[in-house]
């Protein structure tokens, strides 16, 4: 667990620990770009998406406990689905039942650091712009270091994002602390990768981050980096998108579907679960694996806990090809499913090497 590695490294850190939370970075790309780091593989969550994976990383609990099962899903008891980050709701008509909590907050690595007498800090201009239960749960216990860029028009250029992050981290590291602090810095490369993949500009940004991390390590700081998920190239087929839209409609479902990128689910009308699942299998063919929540549980992907069953749809589609109908057909790279490009991510350490982590399943 990342939380255990962070806790162990912080206990041994002579000056303090900086954790770089790099959004969207695959293991393969990190291994080629972080030339000064020791890298070990980690497995992302299912779905392999930011809302799920980051909350698991900071709390040490899986989606079956915290309930953040994707980007868009049903709050228990609701007749609509909600976008976890923006708070927007989607229903067939006007939603009449709001439902209960979207997620279950729990103690974070920031709470644990503060309880041990350490200062727990977080930076990330993109996160400062967010409101709602997800970001509150993610950063619970951390003191947010205001970014001078938070009010500006956000940039997705990866070099600019890294240069800003390096400046803001170095400003925090230059301060004096009574005890070695924990600094968690969010590095949003995900938006760029969705549009341009792991291109030369992205790799230039990673090189800058690697150089800065090595510099901080040389001055006595412990530095870790890890990611939430990787991304794979996609070419959504409009024929499959039309097939999805035909099924994701009031004639077949009681509310709009949910999910995250390359994992999507439907909420069939009572008694129509098998009919909808069969129709989806026929429409998508070899381009998707169509499962029930029980089958996700059997495959070890997502535990069928009450928290999951109350939120996820009864018919779940996992992308198995680039042509899967993702929610945003304008992206060229996406994530959420179970391929190694999406699920294998790095745990990088510059100095010292972190404690051993559990082997990949």
């Amino acid at each position: 667990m990342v939380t255990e590695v962070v806790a162990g490294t912080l206990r041994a850190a002579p000056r303090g620990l900086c954790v770089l939370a790099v959004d969207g970075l695959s293991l393969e790309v990190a291994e080629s770009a972080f030339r000064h780091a020791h890298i070990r593989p980690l497995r992302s969550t299912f779905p392999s998406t930011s809302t799920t994976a980051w909350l698991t990383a900071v709390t040490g609990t899986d989606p079956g406990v915290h309930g953040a099962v994707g980007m868009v899903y049903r709050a228990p008891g609701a007749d609509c689905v909600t976008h976890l980050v923006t708070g927007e709701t989607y229903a067939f008509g006007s939603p009449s039942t709001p439902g209960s909590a979207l997620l279950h907050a729990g103690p974070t690595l920031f709470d644990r650091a503060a309880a041990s007498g350490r200062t727990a800090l977080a930076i990330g201009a993109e996160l400062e712009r967010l409101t709602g239960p997800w970001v509150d749960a993610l950063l619970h216990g951390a003191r947010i270091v205001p970014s001078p860029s938070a009010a500006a028009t956000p940039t997705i250029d990866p070099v600019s994002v890294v240069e800003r992050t390096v400046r803001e981290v170095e400003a925090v590291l230059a301060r004096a602390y009574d005890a070695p602090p924990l600094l968690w810095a969010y590095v949003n490369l995900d938006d760029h990768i969705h549009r341009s993949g792991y291109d030369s500009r992205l790799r230039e940004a990673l090189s800058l981050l690697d150089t800065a991390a090595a510099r901080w390590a040389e001055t006595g700081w412990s530095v870790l980096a890890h990611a939430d998920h990787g991304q794979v190239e996609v070419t959504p087929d409009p024929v499959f998108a039309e097939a999805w839209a035909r099924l994701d409609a009031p004639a077949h479902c009681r509310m709009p579907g949910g999910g995250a990128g390359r994992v999507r689910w439907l909420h069939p009308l009572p008694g129509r679960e098998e009919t909808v699942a069969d129709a989806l299998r026929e429409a998508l063919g070899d381009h998707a694996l169509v499962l029930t929540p029980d089958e996700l549980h059997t495959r070890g992907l997502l535990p069928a806990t009450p928290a999951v069953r109350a939120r996820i749809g009864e018919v779940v589609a996992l992308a198995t090809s680039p042509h899967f109908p993702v929610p945003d057909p304008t992206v060229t790279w996406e994530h959420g499913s179970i391929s190694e490009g999406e699920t294998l991510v790095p745990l990088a350490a510059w100095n010292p090497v972190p404690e051993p982590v559990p082997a990949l399943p």
Side-chain angles (χ1 to χ4, degrees), residues 67-221:
V69 295
M71 189 65 73
V72 176
Y73 59 88
R74 173 181 182 253
D79 56 3
C80 63
V81 293
T82 301
H83 192 293
L84 184 56
V85 174
T86 68
E88 294 178 273
T89 59
Y90 310 94
F92 295 140
S94 299
S96 57
T97 308
S100 58
L102 277 169
L103 55 82
H104 301 293
T108 65
L109 55 87
F110 310 113
D111 290 313
R112 297 183 184 99
S116 67
R118 310 298 184 100
T119 301
L121 305 165
I123 66 173
E126 295 85 354
L127 297 181
E128 282 188 66
R129 301 185 183 98
L130 302 182
T131 59
W134 180 75
V135 74
D136 290 344
L138 179 74
L139 300 180
H140 192 272
R143 178 157 58 87
I144 310 303
V145 180
S147 169
S149 304
T153 301
T155 178
I156 68 170
D157 173 61
V159 171
S160 298
V161 169
V162 167
E163 289 176 339
R164 183 198 72 214
T165 302
V166 169
R167 288 195 303 272
E168 295 180 359
V169 167
E170 291 186 337
V172 173
L173 299 187
R175 301 173 187 170
Y177 299 93
D178 294 332
L182 167 65
L183 171 62
W184 189 89
Y186 178 67
V187 188
N188 180 25
L189 304 181
D190 190 60
D191 289 339
H192 174 84
I193 299 166
H194 275 299
R195 304 297 171 183
S196 303
Y198 298 105
D199 61 359
S200 59
R201 189 69 171 169
L202 187 282
R203 292 174 186 272
E204 179 184 351
L206 292 174
S207 179
L208 292 173
L209 194 60
D210 176 56
T211 299
R215 182 171 65 250
W216 302 332
E218 288 175 358
T219 63
W221 288 92

